[in-house]
Amino acid sequence: MQSVLLEEEKKVELIVEPEAEEKWDLVIEPKSGLFDLRLKEVWNYRDLLVLFVKRDFKAQYKQTILGPLWHFIQPIFTTVVFLVVFSNIANIPTDGIPPILFYLSGITIWNYFASCLNGTSNTFVANAGIFGKVYFPRMILPLATVLSNLVKFSIQFLLLLSLLIYFSIQGVSINIGWSLLVLPLLLVVLAGLGLGLGIIISSLTTKYRDFSVLIGFGVQLLMYATPVVYPLSFLVEKSYRWFIVWNPLTPLVEAFRYALFGQGTVSASSILYSFGFMLVILLVGLIIFHKVERSFMDTV
Amino acid sequence: MSESVIKVENLSKQYRLGEVGTGTLAHDLNRWWHRMRGKEDPYLLVGEENDRETVGNSEYVWSLRDINFEVKQGEVLGIIGKNGAGKSTLLKILSRTTTPTSGSIKLKGRVASLLEVGTGFHPELSGRDNIFLNGSILGMSKSEIKSKFDEIVDFAKVDRYIDTPVKRYSSGMYVRLAFAVAAHLDPEILIVDEVLAVGDAEFQQKCLGKMRDVSINEGKTILFVSHSMAAVRNLCNRVIHLKNGSIQQNGDTAEVVNSYLTSNNTIKTSYDLSKSKRRSGSGVVQFLSMELRNEDGEVVNTVLTGDNVTLVFKLRASVSRATKIDLGFSFHNAYDEVLAALYSSYQDYYIEISDSEYINVYCVIPEFPFSAGQLVVRGRIEVAGEESDWPSEPLGIINIETGDFFRTSKINNKITTPFLMKGIWDSRSY
């Protein structure tokens, strides 16, 4: 800043008219361009992003005995319940994958999407306290949610991996290898979908809380429209199959299982479809979010 | 030094009153429909001046309307005004937590806004973690915080607790740590809200001292919003008085503060305590209200220093006869620190009531010795040595303006001490 000031003084000396165009570092105005998303500013605040992720992780299990072990307990119990309900009672097949692995893999990948969506969808309302007092790029908080959920996902993925190894020792055929390289892409697409949808909902929630009610059960119902508790192959010749196929989450879950077990109904074009869908949702989300973040304190 | 670092042009902000409900959606749709056809927002035309006390015709009010001002580097600008005058809205726009409806603000240099200390503190995290978190929220980079970390801990004097979760801190330690982080920000423009009025007197002095320090020694520009005229007088070079969303006056501190205080005659300066339940004591004799009279016997709410001021206490007795009534009152400053107290018994004066329910007690304070500002008056009554009435609410407020205390026919605005005194002067050569 010092050097900027010095430069400016020089300029004033050189230019005869001192009233020449002044240089301002920041202009606060009512409107901004539709695509002026200030993403560079988000990069400038990356330290804060990292600190928020650390905060989420450190604070979540303070004063619990099991601590991060809770990340294991939730998927294990859910798997047990799914085993009983969907495998034993409803007799839904699992694509030839051992049911425990089938459900646990579905839950692990679904949890990542659902927690991204749930976490980001209340960004504005939950953080109104901070947002009302100080400015920083609002996108930092939903991004932090996505990243801390990635940490959680990694922990749950370790559980899945160790179970996989156990089963492969038992002689079940496992597909782990190069196909795992597709995993980062799947996670990016899932995170983008969760984030995009989440920030759209959080933007709408600032004025109309109706959407936060919707998201409460909507995410749960969405799980049943995604092949988490059943394989896509099970739906052949069902009249509502098209609905599940066009769900952009479907190829991602199927691809995740395909990468791990070599079983699943997935094609490159369907993943490309999910990817394109994600880009659109994310862009729309960013535009709406940026429009809302500027004045949401008035309506929240 | 004379370069403008803040330039506010035609700044306006409109708010919609009432609740968000179905009507809101209808307005939103109408607004959107106008915009689609390239027309102006229909609701911008209907806004009213923001006056809390009159019921308006429109749901839309202008919280700020056509504000224009500039701030030069190194200036300390005070912003004063009644509640609802638009001070906080202006701060919110300046600190970018909301946007203006029209107009613009141009800023030069890094801006830090302190609308609260300890924003984003997480109770479960240690002091160390919170310093980093809070510092980054306020706009410092990690390396900056690292280099200032020891200074911050030293300033807050919490070395021993630095790895303890802040929820275990005493509230004083918590505030000190939070302020220490804020005090080590290094912005060119600092925006400070009244919030710094939390904490004890020592802490407030520290805050004010620190602010004066950064403005004088480091040439920082400060915008300071406050209700405390004393703090504003102390700190600011220039003051803007906001009224109902527009600038009423913009100029020299003493001038603006004085005219603000005199325009304040609508402020309630005495309270009706007859129905108040928040009081202790036997209730034999109780306060009803208090009045302030000037030398001509007129009821006023603003007095001048050096005047003979009469305090009139209206009391009610629940017994037909009471003796040895000892009435006491005290003057407090804006921070509720007691400045002076006087019981009638100090001067061997006791009040008696016989065959009457109501009684007025008069106390003349000759040559009123408090300097300009506001005093809060509290009272307490003892009857025969036992507490009879001690309301927890104040009896009233005295607005004081600078008068001719020294009988020199000159108004001396330089005095910033709470008390004034006169001496008898003499000098001899030898």
Side-chain angles (χ1 to χ4, degrees):
Chain A
M1 190 57 214
Q2 206 84 56
S3 63
V4 177
L5 284 176
L6 283 174
E7 269 173 35
E8 223 157 58
E9 275 167 18
K10 268 186 214 155
K11 227 189 275 171
V12 174
E13 276 176 89
L14 290 174
I15 301 166
V16 189
E17 277 184 85
E19 285 177 19
E21 190 92 347
E22 278 187 281
K23 200 176 132 246
W24 299 98
D25 294 327
L26 176 68
V27 178
I28 301 171
E29 279 177 324
K31 297 213 165 55
S32 70
L34 195 58
F35 293 98
D36 176 21
L37 298 175
R38 294 184 192 256
L39 293 181
K40 188 169 168 271
E41 209 181 21
V42 174
W43 175 248
N44 290 340
Y45 275 82
R46 58 192 180 279
D47 286 345
L48 183 58
L49 178 61
V50 175
L51 283 168
F52 272 131
V53 175
K54 274 192 194 159
R55 177 196 71 172
D56 285 352
F57 199 72
K58 277 190 183 173
Q60 194 174 14
Y61 294 109
K62 278 276 161 99
Q63 280 204 5
T64 60
I65 295 167
L66 296 179
L69 278 181
W70 279 108
H71 287 310
F72 292 141
I73 292 166
Q74 186 264 346
I76 291 174
F77 274 67
T78 317
T79 303
V80 170
V81 172
F82 283 5
L83 262 178
V84 173
V85 176
F86 299 107
S87 182
N88 287 4
I89 299 176
N91 263 325
I92 299 171
T94 55
D95 252 358
I97 303 166
I100 293 184
L101 287 179
F102 182 85
Y103 294 125
L104 188 61
S105 62
I107 290 162
T108 306
I109 194 86
W110 176 259
N111 269 352
Y112 182 54
F113 169 76
S115 54
C116 283
L117 178 54
N118 278 324
T120 52
S121 68
N122 64 356
T123 304
F124 282 126
V125 177
N127 297 292
I130 301 184
F131 285 172
K133 295 298 179 192
V134 67
Y135 177 82
F136 56 88
R138 291 359 186 168
M139 263 318 278
I140 293 286
L141 274 169
L143 282 175
T145 308
V146 170
L147 286 184
S148 36
N149 281 323
L150 192 62
V151 177
K152 199 171 114 190
F153 170 83
S154 311
I155 294 173
Q156 297 185 343
F157 190 66
L158 281 180
L159 173 72
L160 180 61
L161 273 186
S162 41
L163 221 68
L164 260 169
I165 291 163
Y166 170 78
F167 270 87
S168 71
I169 293 168
Q170 301 283 308
V172 176
S173 94
I174 300 293
N175 195 33
I176 288 189
W178 293 107
S179 58
L180 261 187
L181 288 177
V182 80
L183 186 62
L185 174 75
L186 296 181
L187 289 178
V188 167
V189 179
L190 270 176
L193 278 170
L195 178 67
L197 219 57
I199 59 181
I200 290 175
I201 287 164
S202 99
S203 304
L204 297 172
T205 321
T206 59
K207 202 159 187 182
Y208 302 105
R209 297 288 154 87
D210 309 31
F211 294 95
S212 66
V213 185
L214 177 75
I215 197 83
F217 64 89
V219 176
Q220 267 182 320
L221 294 187
L222 191 59
M223 189 185 83
Y224 293 103
T226 313
V228 173
V229 294
Y230 53 83
L232 187 59
S233 58
F234 179 62
L235 297 182
V236 182
E237 287 165 23
K238 295 260 172 24
S239 60
Y240 48 82
R241 184 176 186 272
W242 62 272
F243 181 74
I244 312 286
V245 169
W246 285 108
N247 176 354
L249 294 165
T250 301
L252 302 172
V253 175
E254 288 285 320
F256 182 65
R257 289 210 180 104
Y258 190 82
L260 293 177
F261 317 112
Q263 296 288 334
T265 318
V266 70
S267 64
S269 61
S270 64
I271 292 200
L272 211 62
Y273 159 73
S274 295
F275 189 75
F277 198 95
M278 179 275 282
L279 284 184
V280 173
I281 285 277
L282 193 58
L283 186 67
V284 170
L286 284 173
I287 290 170
I288 296 180
F289 187 87
H290 184 64
K291 198 173 151 42
V292 167
E293 72 171 356
R294 294 164 52 78
S295 63
F296 87 99
M297 278 313 296
D298 303 342
T299 49
V300 74
Chain B
M1 268 309 273
S2 59
E3 193 192 16
S4 281
V5 289
I6 305 178
K7 193 172 188 179
V8 177
E9 291 173 309
N10 300 321
L11 193 75
S12 298
K13 175 80 186 174
Q14 190 186 48
Y15 278 110
R16 184 179 192 277
L17 300 180
E19 282 183 49
V20 173
T22 39
T24 330
L25 186 59
H27 281 199
D28 278 355
L29 291 174
N30 193 8
R31 192 177 275 141
W32 175 79
W33 174 235
H34 274 73
R35 202 165 51 223
M36 283 295 112
R37 291 177 298 159
K39 291 192 177 170
E40 216 186 309
D41 185 342
Y43 298 107
L44 283 185
L45 304 172
V46 296
E48 283 189 339
E49 188 183 64
N50 182 19
D51 186 346
R52 267 179 303 134
E53 286 158 25
T54 52
V55 177
N57 300 315
S58 169
E59 290 173 79
Y60 290 89
V61 292
W62 291 100
S63 178
L64 288 176
R65 184 115 213 207
D66 290 332
I67 302 284
N68 285 287
F69 66 88
E70 283 187 37
V71 188
K72 302 213 183 316
Q73 200 204 328
E75 255 190 319
V76 183
L77 177 73
I79 297 170
I80 58 175
K82 284 197 286 182
N83 286 329
K87 303 185 298 289
S88 302
T89 308
L90 183 60
L91 282 201
K92 273 189 199 161
I93 299 174
L94 272 165
S95 53
R96 292 204 279 166
T97 56
T98 186
T99 48
T101 309
S102 63
S104 69
I105 299 178
K106 292 168 181 161
L107 297 157
K108 235 176 252 180
R110 216 165 87 161
V111 184
S113 50
L114 274 185
L115 305 193
E116 178 183 80
V117 289
T119 307
F121 261 40
H122 196 292
E124 298 285 356
L125 296 183
S126 69
R128 182 187 305 275
D129 290 336
N130 270 311
I131 289 177
F132 278 96
L133 188 61
N134 185 237
S136 318
I137 287 178
L138 292 171
M140 283 196 265
S141 72
K142 203 173 172 180
S143 54
E144 236 179 306
I145 303 170
K146 252 185 200 148
S147 68
K148 287 180 182 167
F149 186 82
D150 291 337
E151 259 178 88
I152 293 174
V153 176
D154 191 49
F155 188 94
K157 307 227 180 320
V158 291
D159 310 54
R160 186 174 189 166
Y161 288 83
I162 199 64
D163 289 312
T164 308
V166 294
K167 66 174 178 180
R168 305 263 177 256
Y169 281 31
S170 77
S171 51
M173 269 161 48
Y174 186 94
V175 173
R176 274 211 305 280
L177 182 67
F179 184 74
V181 180
H184 288 83
L185 283 172
D186 198 19
E188 278 84 30
I189 300 171
L190 186 63
I191 298 169
V192 187
D193 196 5
E194 185 122 67
V195 287
L196 294 185
V198 299
D200 55 18
E202 187 200 331
F203 174 68
Q204 284 172 16
Q205 281 307 319
K206 206 171 177 177
C207 296
L208 291 177
K210 180 81 191 173
M211 283 200 277
R212 199 176 304 128
D213 194 49
V214 297
S215 93
I216 294 171
N217 299 335
E218 299 169 34
K220 301 285 164 66
T221 311
I222 300 181
L223 250 75
F224 181 56
V225 166
S226 182
H227 281 116
S228 158
M229 292 304 125
V232 169
R233 271 167 193 269
N234 234 317
L235 199 64
C236 303
N237 322 115
R238 194 153 65 84
V239 173
I240 284 179
H241 171 195
L242 285 178
K243 191 179 179 188
N244 298 339
S246 337
I247 294 184
Q248 180 86 358
Q249 210 180 357
N250 176 357
D252 175 62
T253 304
E255 199 183 311
V256 179
V257 168
N258 280 341
S259 73
Y260 167 71
L261 287 175
T262 42
S263 74
N264 255 351
N265 276 340
T266 50
I267 284 189
K268 217 171 161 190
T269 50
S270 89
Y271 304 100
D272 181 9
L273 289 176
S274 57
K275 296 206 173 60
S276 172
K277 294 268 188 304
R278 296 174 55 215
R279 62 208 315 165
S280 56
S282 64
V284 176
V285 182
Q286 286 189 324
F287 284 106
L288 290 178
S289 63
M290 186 201 90
E291 235 171 54
L292 209 57
R293 295 193 189 168
N294 66 11
E295 290 175 359
D296 302 324
E298 294 164 337
V299 177
V300 292
N301 46 35
T302 305
V303 299
L304 298 178
T305 51
D307 280 4
N308 298 326
V309 175
T310 308
L311 298 174
V312 184
F313 301 97
K314 307 194 168 209
L315 314 182
R316 181 175 58 196
S318 57
V319 291
S320 58
R321 192 180 152 70
T323 55
K324 293 216 82 140
I325 302 171
D326 181 11
L327 187 149
F329 62 89
S330 52
F331 292 151
H332 302 252
N333 65 12
Y335 310 126
D336 217 21
E337 294 163 324
V338 60
L339 301 178
L342 177 64
Y343 275 89
S344 63
S345 59
Y346 293 178
Q347 295 175 286
D348 284 335
Y349 179 79
Y350 293 93
I351 303 146
E352 290 186 9
I353 293 184
S354 53
D355 300 330
S356 158
E357 201 181 342
Y358 298 100
I359 181 168
N360 281 2
V361 179
Y362 302 86
C363 178
V364 179
I365 301 175
E367 302 192 2
F368 201 70
F370 294 91
S371 56
Q374 279 194 331
L375 287 180
V376 175
V377 186
R378 297 178 178 279
R380 187 164 173 271
I381 299 174
E382 283 189 4
V383 178
E386 266 182 46
E387 183 174 274
S388 167
D389 188 26
W390 192 13
S392 54
E393 287 155 58
L395 300 177
I397 287 169
I398 305 179
N399 290 312
I400 308 154
E401 283 176 48
T402 310
D404 190 9
F405 179 80
F406 302 105
R407 304 281 180 251
T408 54
S409 306
K410 282 183 288 193
I411 300 286
N412 187 343
N413 272 327
K414 284 187 202 134
I415 299 167
T416 52
T417 58
F419 295 103
L420 303 176
M421 61 180 175
K422 272 196 272 199
I424 297 165
W425 296 85
D426 191 16
S427 59
R428 283 169 207 164
S429 303
Y430 59 95

